[in-house]
C-alpha cells in the first residue's frame, strides 16, 4: 500500500506500521478502511482519552457511565434516565439541513438502543456573525433540519442555547442532546451474551451516503472542501426512524433481543467491533446479506453511514417472532451473521474473507497520544473606562446583539409540547419534562461560555458548569449528572491542546465538588478552517430532577407587586468579560483581566437555600444571573404584561456577571421570612424592587415598556432577515 | 352508560399516546387504540385521528393515511352520527378523505410553527357548546401545514351553515398574533354539516393538566360528555 493511500485514510504512517507489525502481513483495502474509521478521534478519542480518564464518572445514582451508547442515572423506584449529547459539526457546515437532522437522528438512536424511550431533545448551536449570507443560510438550514427530524419523530425539544460569534464563521457547531426514560430492570446493553447468537440487521437499506463520515469529522477543512465532501453527509428520514424506534422498543419489551447497538459513525464496522469488544467475543458477518439500496462494494458497505440502522443479537429460536414484529412496522430485517468464540472480527463476501482482524488490536491497541500543550500566559491587570455608558446605551448594546434576544424564531420551529408531558418549554432557564404516569420531573440545560474558557480554560469551564447548575436550581431542579461535548480546534496546536487539558481539568474540579458526575459524552476536534480556530467550546448538558412536580418554580414573574430580591454579588465590570465585550469596551482576548476565582462552596450554599425556600413555597419565581447580568435576567422573567421597577446604587451592577447570582420574587408578606432565612445562612441578598404591570423603571428612569419588550421579542427576527 | 372512545394509530402518528391519555383522564370510560390496518372498529362514541406525520407526510400530509384499511370503518362510524375528531394531522386526513371541506396548506411563513395560540368559538356545536361566546382558549399548535384554505363557495357554505367551530384570535396581552399561519378567515377548526365531525389544528390534548399551563383543552371532552 502506498503512503498516499494511507494518509488519505487519516492514518499516520507510524500508526500504519504499528498495525502491520501486529498483523505480520499486508492489510486488505477493507481492513485499511476499518482502521481509518476506528482509529480516528471521533471513535477512539486518541488525543483526549488520557485526560478524559480523570473525570469523575460515578456515584451512587449513576447506573451507567461513559462507554455505552448513553449514560443512565437512577431516579428512584424503577425509573432510570438515559441521556447523551453528540456533535454533528462538520456535516452541518457542508449541508446544514441534513447534517443537523441526522445529528438529532443519531442521538435519538443512542437513547432507544438502551431500551429507553426518548422523551426530550435539546440543541446547542453556534454560528458566525450574522452579517453574511452564508451564516443566514447555515442558521436557516440547521434550525430547519433539527426541527424537521424532531418534529416528525415526535420528541419534544425542551431547550438548548445558541450563540453567534465570528470564530464560528467557517465552522458552525451543532450539538444535539437527547433524554430517555427507561425502566431500570429493562436496560439494554451492547454486550452480546450467547456464542452462536444471530447477528441481525434492522432498519433502512445501506447506501453510499456518509462513507468516511467519521474520518471527515476528525479532519480540518480547507476552503473548497464543501462541495467535495458533500457526498460524505448522511441523509436522514425521520419517518423511518420513528418506525425503527417503535419496532425496536416493541422487540425489547417482548424480550426477543439480547443486545443492541446502533450503526452510527462508521456504520456496521464500529457497531460490530463494539459488540465484539464489549462481549469479548468474535463476530462473523456475511456482507452479501446486508440489505442494499444500490450495488456497493464490500469496502463501501463497511464504511457506509446510512441512517436509521441497528445491529442486534437474538437467539436463533426468536428469528420468526422478530421478523413478524418488524414486518408490522415495515422495517427491513435480515440475519447477517453470528457471534463466534474467535475474538476476531470477520467479514466475508462472495464466500471469501475480506476482513479478519483480532478485536483487541482495533479497540484496545488504538493509539493514545500525549500531545504537547502550553499553559496560557498570566494576565496583567487592566483598567477600562466605562463612563460614557448610560443605561440607554447599555440596553441598546444588548438589544442589538443576537446573543441577548428572545430566540423564539428558533424554537418556534420546534415542536416542544408533543408527548403531552412538557412542563417548561424552550425560552426558560430550564427545560422540564414530566415522566409519563409519574409525578417526577427531569430538568435539563445545555451551556458553554467560550469567551471565559478562552481567557482561562480551567476557570472558564468551572463557570460553565456553574451556569448550568444555576439554570437547574432556578427551577428547583436538583442537579444530578452531566454529559459533555468537547468542541475544539486542532489538538496539534499546543495552545489548543492546552485549552483541552485545562478545561477538562476545570470540568473535573467542578463536577466533583458539585457531585454531578459525567456519564456520557463526545469529543469533536479539528473545528477550524485553514488557520482559523473556533473558540474552545466544551458544551455541557446538565440533567437534574425533582421527584414532585408541584415543587417546581417558575422562571417568569407571577404577581404584580411581588418583591424582587437579588441574590449573590456583582463581579464588577472589570471582571465581567461578556460585559466588556458586549458593551464594546474591548474584544481583544489578551486585554481581558484574569477571571475571578469562583467559590463552589458558596454556589452550593446559595443553591441549597433557594431549593429550601422553593420547597417551602416561599419563592414565586426565580431566574439565574449570568451573561447580561440582572437586567437580562429580569427581562427574561417578563411574562404576559408584567414588568419591573428596580433601584441599584451602581448602574453597572445591573449588567455585570455575578457570583452565585439569582433573582427571586417573593410575596410582600413573606419577604421578612425569606430575608431572615437568607441572612441566617449567610447568603448575600438585597431587595431591589418589585414586579409592576406594564412598567420598566430603573433607578427612577421610566422606559417605554412596550418598546423594550418589543425590541427583546422582535429584534432577533429583524436582524437575521 | 359509560363513554367509549378510540384512537387510531397510523405509521408515523406521534400524538396517539397523548390522545389516549387525554381520553383516559377525561372520559373515565374505555379507550381503545386501533392500528390502521384493522378492518373493523367496535362501537364507540368518539374516534380521534391523532396528530403526527402519518406515513412521513409523503406525497401530502394525510394523503397516504386517507387510503388506509381502517378508513371505510371511520366513514361508517361518522355516518352513524357518532363523534369523530381529527387533531392536526388528523384534520389533514379528514380533508384528504373528503369528510371535511378545504385543505391545509403550508404555513404562510413557510416554517413549522410550534407555540401556544389563542382561539375562540365561532359557531356552536356539540364539541364546543360549553365554551362561552367571548371566551379565549389558550392551546398549543405544532404544524407545518396548518394554513386552512378553501374556495369562496366552500367558505360561504361553512359560514352560512355555521360550520366554523374555532377561529384564531388575539390573546389578552401585548405581542400576541391573531392569524398565526395564514388561514383563511382565521379558521382553526371546522365541522361537517351534521356537526359530528370536527377537524382542528390546535392540540387540546396538550392543554388539560395543571402543568400544561392551560387547561382549556378539557372543555371539548367535557362538552361531548354532557
Amino acid at each position: 500500500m502506498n503512503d498516499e493511500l494511507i494518509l488519505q485514510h487519516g492514518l499516520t504512517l507510524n500508526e500504519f506500521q504499528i498495525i502491520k507489525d501486529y498483523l505480520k502481513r499486508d492489510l486488505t483495502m477493507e481492513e485499511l478502511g476499518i482502521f481509518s474509521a476506528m482509529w480516528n478521534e471521533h471513535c477512539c478519542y486518541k488525543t483526549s482519552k488520557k485526560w478524559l480518564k480523570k473525570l469523575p464518572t460515578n456515584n451512587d445514582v449513576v447506573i451507567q457511565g461513559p462507554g455505552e451508547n448513553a449514560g443512565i442515572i437512577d431516579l428512584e423506584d424503577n425509573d432510570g434516565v438515559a441521556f447523551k449529547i453528540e456533535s454533528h459539526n462538520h456535516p452541518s457546515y457542508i449541508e446544514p439541513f441534513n447534517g443537523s437532522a441526522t445529528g438529532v437522528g443519531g442521538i435519538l438512536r443512542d437513547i432507544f438502543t438502551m431500551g429507553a424511550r426518548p422523551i426530550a431533545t435539546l440543541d446547542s448551536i453556534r454560528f458566525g456573525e450574522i452579517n453574511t449570507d452564508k451564516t443566514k443560510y447555515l442558521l436557516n438550514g440547521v434550525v430547519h433540519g433539527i426541527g424537521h427530524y424532531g418534529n416528525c419523530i415526535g420528541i419534544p425539544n425542551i431547550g438548548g442555547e445558541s450563540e453567534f460569534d465570528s470564530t464560528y464563521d467557517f465552522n458552525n457547531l451543532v450539538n444535539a442532546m437527547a433524554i430517555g426514560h427507561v425502566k431500570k430492570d429493562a436496560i439494554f446493553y451492547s454486550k452480546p451474551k450467547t456464542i452462536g447468537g444471530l447477528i441481525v440487521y434492522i432498519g433502512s437499506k445501506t447506501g453510499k451516503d456518509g462513507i468516511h463520515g467519521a474520518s471527515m469529522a476528525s479532519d480540518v477543512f480547507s476552503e473548497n472542501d464543501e462541495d467535495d465532501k458533500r457526498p460524505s453527509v448522511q441523509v436522514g428520514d425521520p419517518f423511518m426512524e420513528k418506525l425503527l424506534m417503535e419496532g425496536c422498543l416493541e422487540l425489547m419489551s417482548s424480550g426477543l433481543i439480547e443486545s443492541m447497538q446502533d450503526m452510527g459513525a462508521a456504520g456496521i464496522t464500529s457497531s460490530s467491533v463494539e459488540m465484539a469488544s464489549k462481549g469479548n467475543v468474535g463476530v462473523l458477518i456475511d456482507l452479501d446479506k446486508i440489505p442494499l439500496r444500490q450495488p456497493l462494494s464490500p469496502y463501501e458497505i463497511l464504511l457506509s453511514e446510512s441512517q436509521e440502522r441497528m445491529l442486534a443479537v437474538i437467539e436463533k429460536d426468536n428469528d420468526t417472532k422478530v421478523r413478524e414484529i418488524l414486518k408490522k412496522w415495515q422495517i427491513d430485517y435480515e440475519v447477517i451473521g453470528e457471534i463466534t468464540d474467535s475474538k476476531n472480527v470477520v467479514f466475508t463476501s462472495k464466500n471469501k474473507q475480506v476482513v479478519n482482524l483480532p478485536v483487541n488490536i482495533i479497540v484496545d491497541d488504538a493509539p493514545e497520544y500525549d500531545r504537547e500543550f502550553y499553559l496560557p500566559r498570566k494576565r496583567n491587570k487592566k483598567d477600562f473606562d466605562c463612563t460614557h455608558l448610560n443605561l440607554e446605551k447599555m440596553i441598546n448594546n444588548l438589544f442589538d446583539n443576537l446573543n441577548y434576544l428572545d430566540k423564539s424564531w428558533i424554537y418556534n420551529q420546534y415542536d416542544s409540547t408533543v408527548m403531552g408531558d412538557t412542563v417548561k418549554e424552550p425560552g426558560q432557564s430550564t427545560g422540564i419534562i414530566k415522566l409519563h404516569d409519574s409525578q417526577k420531573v427531569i430538568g435539563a440545560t445545555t451551556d458553554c461560555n467560550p469567551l471565559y474558557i478562552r481567557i482561562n480554560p480551567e476557570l472558564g469551564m468551572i463557570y460553565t458548569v456553574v451556569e448550568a447548575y444555576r439554570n437547574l436550581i432556578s427551577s428547583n431542579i436538583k442537579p444530578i449528572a452531566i454529559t459533555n461535548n468537547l468542541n475544539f480546534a486542532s489538538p496539534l496546536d499546543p495552545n489548543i491542546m492546552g485549552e483541552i487539558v485545562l478545561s477538562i481539568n476545570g470540568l473535573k474540579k467542578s463536577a466533583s465538588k458539585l457531585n454531578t458526575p459525567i456519564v456520557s459524552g463526545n469529543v469533536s476536534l479539528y473545528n477550524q478552517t485553514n488557520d482559523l480556530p473556533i473558540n474552545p467550546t466544551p458544551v455541557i448538558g446538565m440533567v437534574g430532577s425533582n421527584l414532585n412536580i408541584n415543587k417546581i418554580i417558575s422562571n417568569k414573574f407571577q404577581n404584580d407587586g411581588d418583591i424582587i430580591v437579588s441574590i449573590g454579588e456583582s463581579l464588577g465590570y472589570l471582571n465581567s468579560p461578556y460585559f466588556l465585550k458586549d458593551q464594546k469596551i474591548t474584544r481583544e482576548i489578551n486585554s481581558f483581566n484574569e477571571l475571578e476565582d469562583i467559590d463552589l462552596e458558596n454556589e452550593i450554599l446559595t443553591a441549597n437555600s433557594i431549593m429550601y425556600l422553593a420547597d417551602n413555597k416561599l419563592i414565586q419565581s426565580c431566574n439565574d444571573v449570568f451573561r447580561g447580568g440582572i437586567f437580562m435576567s429580569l427581562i427574561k422573567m417578563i411574562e404576559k404584561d408584567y414588568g419591573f421597577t428596580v433601584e441599584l446604587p451602581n448602574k453597572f451592577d445591573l449588567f455585570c456577571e455575578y457570583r452565585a447570582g439569582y433573582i427571586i420574587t417573593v410575596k410582600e408578606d413573606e419577604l421578612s421570612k425569606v430575608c431572615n432565612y437568607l441572612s441566617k445562612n449567610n447568603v448575600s441578598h438585597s431587595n431591589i424592587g418589585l414586579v409592576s404591570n406594564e412598567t420598566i423603571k430603573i433607578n427612577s428612569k421610566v422606559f417605554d415598556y412596550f418598546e423594550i419588550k418589543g425590541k427583546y421579542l422582535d429584534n432577533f427576527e429583524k436582524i437575521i432577515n | 352508560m359509560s363513554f367509549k372512545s378510540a384512537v387510531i394509530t397510523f405509521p408515523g402518528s406521534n400524538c396517539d399516546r397523548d390522545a389516549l391519555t387525554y381520553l383516559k383522564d377525561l372520559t373515565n370510560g374505555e379507550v381503545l387504540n386501533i392500528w390502521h390496518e384493522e378492518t373493523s372498529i367496535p362501537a364507540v362514541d368518539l374516534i380521534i385521528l391523532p396528530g403526527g406525520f402519518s406515513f412521513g407526510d409523503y406525497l401530502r400530509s394525510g394523503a397516504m393515511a386517507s387510503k388506509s384499511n381502517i378508513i371505510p370503518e371511520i366513514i361508517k362510524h361518522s355516518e352513524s352520527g357518532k363523534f369523530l375528531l381529527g387533531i392536526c394531522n388528523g384534520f389533514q386526513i379528514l380533508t384528504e378523505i373528503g369528510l371535511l371541506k378545504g385543505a391545509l396548506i403550508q404555513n404562510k411563513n413557510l416554517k413549522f410553527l410550534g407555540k401556544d395560540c389563542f382561539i375562540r368559538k365561532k359557531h356552536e356545536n356539540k364539541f364546543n357548546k360549553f365554551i362561552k361566546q367571548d371566551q379565549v382558549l389558550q392551546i398549543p399548535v405544532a404544524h407545518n401545514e396548518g394554513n386552512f384554505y378553501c374556495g369562496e363557495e366552500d367558505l360561504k357554505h361553512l359560514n352560512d351553515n355555521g360550520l366554523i367551530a374555532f377561529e384564531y384570535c388575539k390573546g389578552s396581552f401585548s405581542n400576541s398574533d391573531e392569524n398565526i399561519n395564514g388561514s383563511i378567515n382565521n379558521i382553526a377548526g371546522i365541522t361537517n354539516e351534521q356537526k359530528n365531525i370536527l377537524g382542528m389544528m390546535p392540540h387540546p390534548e396538550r392543554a388539560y393538566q395543571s402543568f400544561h399551563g392551560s387547561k382549556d383543552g378539557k372543555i371539548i371532552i367535557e362538552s361531548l360528555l354532557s
Side-chain angles (χ1 to χ4, degrees), chain A residues 11 14-25 27 31 34-35 38-39 44 49 273 276-277 280-281 343-345 355-368:
Chain A
L11 293 170
N14 189 32
E15 286 168 351
F16 184 71
Q17 195 54 47
I18 294 171
I19 301 169
K20 269 183 65 174
D21 289 349
Y22 192 98
L23 292 178
K24 300 191 178 60
R25 63 167 167 87
L27 280 75
E31 289 171 337
I34 286 186
F35 279 103
M38 297 303 296
W39 279 22
C44 81
K49 204 194 281 171
V273 168
S277 166
N280 197 23
V281 293
K343 299 186 184 175
N344 275 25
V345 178
V355 171
N356 187 346
L357 295 169
V359 179
N360 61 348
I361 178 178
I362 311 175
V363 180
D364 307 333
D365 294 345
E368 198 180 315

Side-chain angles (χ1 to χ4, degrees), chain A residues 204-232:
Chain A
S204 291
K205 291 181 169 56
T206 297
K208 273 198 175 174
D209 43 341
I211 291 175
H212 280 312
S215 37
M216 172 187 81
S218 307
D219 205 0
V220 177
F221 278 153
S222 58
E223 245 161 49
N224 299 320
D225 254 9
E226 291 161 51
D227 289 325
D228 298 345
K229 292 206 163 156
R230 198 159 288 131
S232 282

Side-chain angles (χ1 to χ4, degrees), chain A residues 132-163:
Chain A
T132 68
D133 286 346
K134 176 81 187 183
T135 300
K136 288 176 187 172
Y137 159 76
L138 291 171
L139 172 67
N140 271 287
V142 164
V143 172
H144 187 198
I146 291 172
H148 171 72
Y149 209 101
N151 298 343
C152 181
I153 191 167
I155 314 294
N157 180 304
I158 60 165
E161 52 164 354
S162 61
E163 189 185 359

Side-chain angles (χ1 to χ4, degrees), chain A residues 248-380:
Chain A
C248 287
L249 290 172
E250 188 172 334
L251 287 179
M252 290 194 260
S253 64
S254 328
L256 295 169
I257 293 229
E258 193 176 293
S259 73
M260 195 170 244
Q261 175 75 36
D262 88 295
M263 293 193 223
I268 195 158
T269 293
S270 68
S271 52
S272 55
V273 168
E274 192 87 357
M275 265 192 173
S277 166
K278 289 271 165 56
N280 197 23
V281 293
V283 296
L284 171 64
I285 290 175
D286 181 358
L287 294 175
D288 300 338
K289 296 261 176 68
I290 308 277
L292 298 182
R293 202 162 59 209
Q294 65 208 103
L296 295 179
S297 70
Y299 176 87
E300 289 171 315
I301 295 171
L302 283 167
L303 296 177
S304 163
E305 291 191 356
S306 289
Q307 298 289 292
E308 293 95 23
R309 301 180 303 161
M310 288 286 194
L311 205 61
V313 176
I314 63 168
E315 283 179 36
K316 276 200 172 98
D317 299 345
N318 289 333
D319 182 31
T320 319
K321 284 185 206 153
V322 170
R323 197 176 291 274
E324 261 166 38
I325 288 180
L326 293 172
K327 196 176 162 199
K328 170 185 156 192
W329 292 103
Q330 303 170 348
I331 301 168
D332 271 321
Y333 165 79
E334 209 58 60
V335 176
I336 60 167
E338 62 177 330
I339 299 293
T340 67
D341 57 4
S342 73
K343 299 186 184 175
N344 275 25
V345 178
V346 180
F347 290 103
T348 63
S349 175
K350 312 250 179 318
N351 296 318
K352 221 182 81 193
Q353 282 189 3
V354 292
V355 171
N356 187 346
L357 295 169
V359 179
N360 61 348
I361 178 178
I362 311 175
V363 180
D364 307 333
D365 294 345
E368 198 180 315
Y369 293 119
D370 186 1
R371 297 200 197 277
E372 187 187 13
F373 63 92
Y374 298 157
L375 298 176
R377 263 175 298 174
K378 277 252 165 265
R379 292 172 176 276
N380 299 322

Side-chain angles (χ1 to χ4, degrees), chain A residues 659-716:
Chain A
R659 288 189 190 88
Y662 298 87
I663 295 291
I664 58 171
T665 64
V666 296
K667 285 198 169 138
E668 197 181 353
D669 55 0
E670 291 168 346
L671 181 65
S672 60
K673 216 185 212 172
V674 169
C675 291
N676 287 341
Y677 178 81
L678 291 172
S679 303
K680 202 179 79 196
N681 286 284
N682 298 318
V683 175
S684 79
H685 62 280
S686 59
N687 172 348
I688 59 167
L690 44 92
V691 179
S692 47
N693 218 17
E694 294 188 7
T695 308
I696 290 178
K697 194 169 156 190
I698 301 169
N699 291 354
S700 303
K701 184 167 173 48
V702 178
F703 292 83
D704 184 326
Y705 175 80
F706 295 101
E707 188 189 324
I708 295 274
K709 183 177 166 186
K711 278 185 182 169
Y712 173 65
L713 293 178
D714 303 333
N715 274 10
F716 188 92

Side-chain angles (χ1 to χ4, degrees), chain A residues 117 140 148 150-155 237 239 242-243 328-330 409 411-423 425 434 436-437 549 640-641 705-706 709-710 713-714, chain B residues 9-18 21 35-37 52-58 109-116 138 140-142 172-175 203 205-206 209 211-212:
Chain A
R117 176 170 283 279
N140 271 287
H148 171 72
N151 298 343
C152 181
I153 191 167
I155 314 294
D237 179 352
F239 173 55
K242 168 74 174 165
L243 299 179
K328 170 185 156 192
W329 292 103
Q330 303 170 348
W409 181 89
Y411 58 77
N412 280 353
Q413 295 184 52
Y414 304 151
D415 190 342
S416 53
T417 52
V418 63
M419 294 184 92
D421 289 322
T422 304
V423 182
E425 298 165 34
K434 190 174 83 72
H436 203 65
D437 294 328
I549 189 172
K640 295 180 178 156
D641 283 334
Y705 175 80
F706 295 101
K709 183 177 166 186
L713 293 178
D714 303 333
Chain B
T9 298
F10 301 93
S13 293
N14 62 29
C15 304
D16 45 341
R17 190 192 72 172
D18 314 3
T21 313
W35 183 241
H36 74 114
E37 282 180 321
F53 288 68
S54 56
F55 297 92
D57 270 2
Y58 281 103
N109 71 351
L110 307 180
K111 287 184 166 46
F112 186 94
L113 182 69
K115 66 178 207 176
D116 272 348
Q138 182 179 343
V141 289
S172 58
F173 47 84
S174 60
N175 305 81
H203 285 272
E205 81 281 16
R206 301 185 192 180
Q209 308 202 61
F211 72 86
H212 284 149

Side-chain angles (χ1 to χ4, degrees), chain B residues 41-54:
Chain B
I41 304 175
V44 292
D45 301 292
L46 165 70
I47 291 177
I48 289 187
L49 302 182
F53 288 68
S54 56

